C-alpha cells in the first residue's frame, strides 16, 4: 500500500479535492453564476430568448421534443436583460394545425413566452432532481408560442463539430437498414441515442450492455486499434515510424471526439487516450493508474460538478477496474485453464481473446456495481455472458460502420456493406434480447 501511494502522489490532492467538492455540494448553494436567470425571472416575464445547446430528444409520450437551452435574455417591462443559465425546454412535435414543427439544431435561437416549473422526479428508482441539479439545470418549461431564428453557419468549433456529426448521422439514416438498426449504429459510433427506442435502450441496460451505446474508452480503443493496424502498412516500423504512428493516433483520437460532437464524455475519453498514447513516446516508465488520476484531477478542477455525473463516475471507475483488477483476473483464468485442460499453443491462442474479454468485463463490473445499484436499483446477472459475445461483435460493427461511411455514395458496394452491417446489428440485438430474458427469469 505504501508503494502504491508513493508511486502516485497525485492521489492525495485528488482525494482532498473530492472531499472539498462533496462538502461544498452538501452545505453551499449550487447557483453561483453572477447573472443567473433566476435572479431576473418572475411570472410577469413576457419573453425569454434561448440558444439551443443539444440535439432534440423525443419524450416518452412522443408529443414533445426535449432540448437543453441556455437562457440568454429576459424581457421585463419592455426591456431586455442579458442573463444566463440552462433550462430543459420542451417543444410540441406538431402545431395546432397538426403540422410538424421543424427540428431545431445546436446554435439556433428561439424567443418564447415562458413559465418555469421546478424539475420533478418521474420515477421512484432514480433521483432525477439531483441528477439535473448537478448538471446546473433547475427548471423545465413547455413552450407553445415561439419564434425560431436559424443560425446560417457554424460560428465556433463546437457548432462545426455538431454539423459534421449531423451529416454523418444523415448518411446512416439514408442507408437501407431497418430503422432501429440505423439508430443502434448511430448510438454506437456517434454517441447519439435520441433516435433509439426506449425499449431498446432498456434492453441494453438490463442485459449489461449499456456501455456499447456510449462513445467510451472501449470504442476509442477499438477504433484506434483498427487504424493502428492500417497505419502499419503505410508507416515504417523503425523508431521514427513508431513516433509518427503515435502522433497520428492522437490526432485521430481528437478527430473522433470532433466527429461525435465534442460532447463532454467524448472529450474526457480523448484527453485520457491522448495522455496514454503520448506516454508511450517517453523513454521513461509511466504508470497507467497515475495518468488516470491526473486526468480525473484536471477535469474535476475545471468542472467540480462532474464528480456527480454518472457517466464520469462509470467511465473512470471502469478504467480504474481494468488497471487494478484485469491483470490479476486474467492471470488466474489462464492458470485455472492450464491446470484443468493443459492446452497446447493453438488452443491458447483461441482462449486468450476470450479470457481478455472476460477479465475486462469482470474488472469493470466490480468497480461499477455500486454505482449501478445505487442509481438504478438493479444489476444485470448475466452481464458476463453478454459481454463475452457482444464486445468482439461490437468491435466488428464499429469497423463496419467506419467502412460504410466513405462508401455510402457507391451504389453496389454500399448496399453490400450495409447488408453485412444489418446482419451484425441484428446479431447484437439478439444477444441483448436473450440476455434480458435470462435476467428477467431471476428477477
Amino acid at each position: 500500500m505504501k508503494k502504491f501511494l508513493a508511486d502516485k502522489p497525485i492521489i492525495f490532492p485528488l482525494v482532498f479535492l473530492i472531499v472539498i467538492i462533496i462538502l461544498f455540494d452538501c452545505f453551499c448553494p449550487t447557483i453561483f453564476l453572477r447573472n443567473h436567470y433566476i435572479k431576473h425571472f418572475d411570472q410577469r416575464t413576457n419573453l425569454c430568448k434561448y440558444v439551443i445547446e443539444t440535439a432534440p430528444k423525443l419524450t416518452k409520450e412522443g408529443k414533445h421534443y426535449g432540448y437543453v437551452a441556455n437562457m440568454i435574455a429576459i424581457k421585463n417591462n419592455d426591456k431586455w436583460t442579458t442573463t444566463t443559465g440552462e433550462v430543459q425546454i420542451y417543444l410540441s412535435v406538431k402545431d395546432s394545425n397538426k403540422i410538424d414543427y421543424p427540428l431545431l439544431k445546436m446554435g439556433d435561437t428561439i424567443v418564447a413566452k415562458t413559465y418555469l416549473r421546478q424539475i420533478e422526479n418521474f420515477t421512484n428508482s432514480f433521483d432525477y432532481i439531483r441528477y439535473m441539479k448537478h448538471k446546473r439545470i433547475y427548471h423545465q418549461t413547455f413552450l407553445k408560442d415561439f419564434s425560431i431564428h436559424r443560425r446560417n453557419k457554424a460560428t465556433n468549433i463546437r457548432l462545426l463539430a455538431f454539423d459534421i456529426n449531423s451529416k454523418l448521422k444523415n448518411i446512416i439514416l439514408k442507408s437501407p437498414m431497418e430503422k432501429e438498426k440505423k439508430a443502434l449504429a448511430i448510438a454506437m459510433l456517434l454517441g447519439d441515442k435520441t433516435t433509439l427506442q426506449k425499449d431498446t435502450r432498456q434492453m441494453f441496460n438490463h442485459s449489461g450492455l449499456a456501455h456499447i451505446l456510449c462513445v467510451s474508452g472501449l470504442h476509442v480503443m477499438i477504433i484506434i486499434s483498427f487504424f493502428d493496424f492500417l497505419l502499419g502498412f503505410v508507416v515504417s516500423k523503425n523508431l521514427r515510424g513508431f513516433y509518427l504512428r503515435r502522433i497520428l493516433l492522437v490526432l485521430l483520437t481528437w478527430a473522433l471526439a470532433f466527429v461525435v460532437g465534442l460532447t463532454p464524455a467524448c472529450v474526457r475519453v480523448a484527453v485520457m487516450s491522448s495522455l496514454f498514447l503520448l506516454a508511450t513516446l517517453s523513454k521513461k516508465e509511466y504508470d497507467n493508474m497515475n495518468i488516470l488520476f491526473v486526468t480525473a484531477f484536471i477535469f474535476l478542477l475545471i468542472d467540480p460538478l462532474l464528480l456527480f455525473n454518472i457517466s464520469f463516475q462509470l467511465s473512470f471507475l471502469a478504467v480504474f477496474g481494468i488497471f487494478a483488477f484485469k491483470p490479476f483476473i486474467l492471470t488466474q483464468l489462464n492458470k485455472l485453464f492450464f491446470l484443468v485442460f493443459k492446452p497446447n499453443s493453438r488452443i491458447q491462442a483461441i482462449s486468450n481473446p476470450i479470457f481478455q474479454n472476460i477479465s475486462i468485463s469482470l474488472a469493470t463490473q466490480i468497480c461499477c456495481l455500486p454505482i449501478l445499484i445505487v442509481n438504478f436499483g438493479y444489476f444485470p446477472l448475466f452481464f458476463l455472458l453478454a459481454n463475452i459475445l457482444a464486445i468482439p461483435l461490437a468491435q466488428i460493427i464499429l469497423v463496419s460502420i467506419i467502412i460504410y461511411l466513405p462508401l455510402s455514395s457507391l451504389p453496389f458496394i454500399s448496399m453490400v456493406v450495409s447488408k453485412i452491417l444489418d446482419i451484425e446489428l441484428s446479431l447484437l440485438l439478439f444477444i441483448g434480447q436473450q440476455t434480458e430474458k435470462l435476467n428477467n427469469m431471476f428477477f
Side-chain angles (χ1 to χ4, degrees), residues 241-260:
F242 173 80
Y243 287 147
L244 178 60
R245 283 170 67 177
R246 288 295 174 272
I247 293 170
L248 289 174
L249 291 175
V250 169
L251 295 175
L252 179 65
T253 301
W254 282 99
L256 178 62
F258 187 80
V259 163
V260 172

Side-chain angles (χ1 to χ4, degrees), residues 137-423:
I137 301 175
Y138 309 96
H139 296 92
Q140 60 185 348
T141 182
F142 289 81
L143 303 180
K144 294 182 178 179
D145 299 319
F146 55 89
S147 59
I148 303 173
H149 303 274
R150 297 283 188 181
R151 65 172 173 88
N152 296 322
K153 59 181 181 179
T155 54
N156 57 54
I157 190 170
R158 189 160 176 253
L159 293 179
L160 181 60
F162 176 83
D163 289 346
I164 293 175
N165 179 280
S166 299
K167 289 179 181 178
L168 295 177
K169 180 179 175 181
N170 288 333
I171 291 174
I172 297 175
L173 288 174
K174 291 176 182 177
S175 71
M177 294 186 293
E178 294 178 8
K179 182 178 178 181
E180 194 59 10
K181 292 170 188 174
K182 295 176 187 177
L184 182 55
I186 290 169
M188 291 181 66
L189 182 69
L190 303 177
D192 183 354
K193 299 186 284 290
T194 55
T195 57
L196 206 60
Q197 291 183 5
K198 182 185 176 183
D199 292 344
T200 303
R201 293 181 65 175
Q202 184 173 311
M203 178 265 290
F204 274 90
N205 289 335
H206 290 174
S207 59
L209 299 175
H211 59 91
I212 289 178
L213 302 180
C214 308
V215 178
S216 63
L218 174 66
H219 292 66
V220 173
M221 179 184 69
I222 292 169
I223 296 171
I224 293 298
S225 299
F226 172 66
F227 280 98
D228 192 27
F229 171 76
L230 294 181
L231 288 172
F233 293 101
V234 296
V235 179
S236 61
K237 296 184 179 180
N238 55 24
L239 185 60
R240 183 179 295 178
F242 173 80
Y243 287 147
L244 178 60
R245 283 170 67 177
R246 288 295 174 272
I247 293 170
L248 289 174
L249 291 175
V250 169
L251 295 175
L252 179 65
T253 301
W254 282 99
L256 178 62
F258 187 80
V259 163
V260 172
L262 292 176
T263 60
C266 197
V267 170
R268 289 198 300 270
V269 173
V271 170
M272 195 184 306
S273 301
S274 299
L275 288 174
F276 287 128
L277 287 168
L278 291 173
T280 61
L281 298 177
S282 173
K283 295 180 180 179
K284 298 180 180 179
E285 291 187 4
Y286 63 92
D287 188 312
N288 286 335
M289 196 76 78
N290 225 17
I291 293 175
L292 177 66
F293 290 153
V294 168
T295 308
F297 183 82
I298 292 171
F299 275 103
L300 290 178
L301 205 58
I302 295 171
D303 186 0
L305 288 181
L306 268 180
L307 180 65
F308 307 103
N309 185 291
I310 296 173
S311 173
F312 177 86
Q313 295 169 5
L314 290 175
S315 62
F316 275 93
L317 284 175
V319 177
F320 176 83
I322 291 172
F323 291 156
F325 302 114
K326 184 214 163 189
F328 174 78
I329 295 171
L330 183 60
T331 302
Q332 298 307 311
L333 285 173
N334 283 321
K335 282 183 180 178
L336 181 62
F337 186 65
F338 184 81
L339 286 174
V340 175
F341 298 102
K342 299 193 179 336
N344 56 36
S345 57
R346 183 175 296 179
I347 295 176
Q348 282 183 318
I350 297 171
S351 64
N352 279 338
I354 297 174
F355 289 160
Q356 288 278 354
N357 285 331
I358 292 174
S359 58
I360 288 173
S361 296
L362 282 174
T364 55
Q365 293 293 344
I366 285 170
C367 291
C368 293
L369 175 61
I371 304 297
L372 293 173
I373 292 176
V374 168
N375 288 285
F376 302 105
Y378 74 89
F379 178 69
L381 189 62
F382 293 93
F383 73 91
L384 185 57
L385 174 62
N387 280 276
I388 290 172
L389 300 172
I391 289 178
L393 181 58
Q395 297 173 3
I396 297 170
I397 291 172
L398 283 171
V399 172
S400 298
I401 300 171
I402 292 170
I403 293 172
Y404 173 77
L405 288 173
L407 299 176
S408 60
S409 58
L410 303 177
F412 177 74
I413 298 176
S414 64
M415 184 182 68
V416 173
V417 177
S418 67
K419 187 64 179 178
I420 295 171
L421 183 56
D422 189 277
I423 294 170

